[in-house]
Amino acid sequence: MTIDAKIFDINYSNPKVVELVIRKKKAERFYSICFIGFYQTIEALKTMGAEKTDKIRIGYTLSSKKYTNKDGVSRYSTSAIIDSVDMLEKNIVKQTEVVFVDQETGEII
């Protein structure tokens, strides 16, 4: 699956995991979605210089699991794991020069 959105927050709190938060509007309400990425995603985000408010395309997979909590109740957890990330548009407010991104390779031209 893929989704196009602006970055709301990037959290590099762990050197092996990145949390990438976006916001999507449905009806009159905004929803935050947190994606989890690992080494390749961290390298891609740093290489492209991804920052808050940049517009990106995320390719992701949903992973669900069932577990039993300490009270013996069955619970479910779903994670959105990043498979690929591409820069669509740099933040225009911070941008000092025109930047073009090749949609196929993700290279900044």
Side-chain angles (χ1 to χ4, degrees):
M1 293 184 271
T2 61
I3 189 168
D4 295 353
K6 288 186 179 180
I7 299 172
F8 182 72
D9 193 21
I10 302 176
N11 184 355
Y12 294 104
S13 62
N14 182 325
K16 295 182 180 182
V17 178
V18 62
E19 296 172 333
L20 184 65
V21 181
I22 64 165
R23 285 182 131 183
K24 291 301 276 184
K25 186 176 183 180
K26 186 173 183 181
E28 294 298 316
R29 194 165 175 199
F30 283 96
Y31 295 90
S32 296
I33 305 170
C34 182
F35 293 88
I36 297 172
F38 301 101
Y39 180 76
Q40 290 177 333
T41 304
I42 294 169
E43 291 301 314
L45 290 170
K46 287 183 177 179
T47 299
M48 67 178 69
E51 299 175 304
K52 291 181 182 181
T53 70
D54 289 346
K55 188 172 182 181
I56 59 171
R57 174 172 291 139
I58 301 172
Y60 65 98
T61 306
L62 294 177
S63 174
S64 297
K65 62 182 174 181
K66 179 182 175 182
Y67 64 95
T68 304
N69 70 8
K70 63 183 178 181
D71 298 326
V73 178
S74 292
R75 305 294 301 222
Y76 295 88
S77 172
T78 301
S79 299
I81 301 172
I82 300 172
D83 297 324
S84 63
V85 63
D86 298 307
M87 180 71 68
L88 298 179
E89 183 179 313
K90 287 294 285 177
N91 178 359
I92 295 171
V93 175
K94 293 181 183 177
Q95 188 172 325
T96 57
E97 60 183 291
V98 177
V99 176
F100 295 98
V101 178
D102 187 321
Q103 293 293 333
E104 292 180 14
T105 63
E107 291 180 307
I108 297 176
I109 302 171

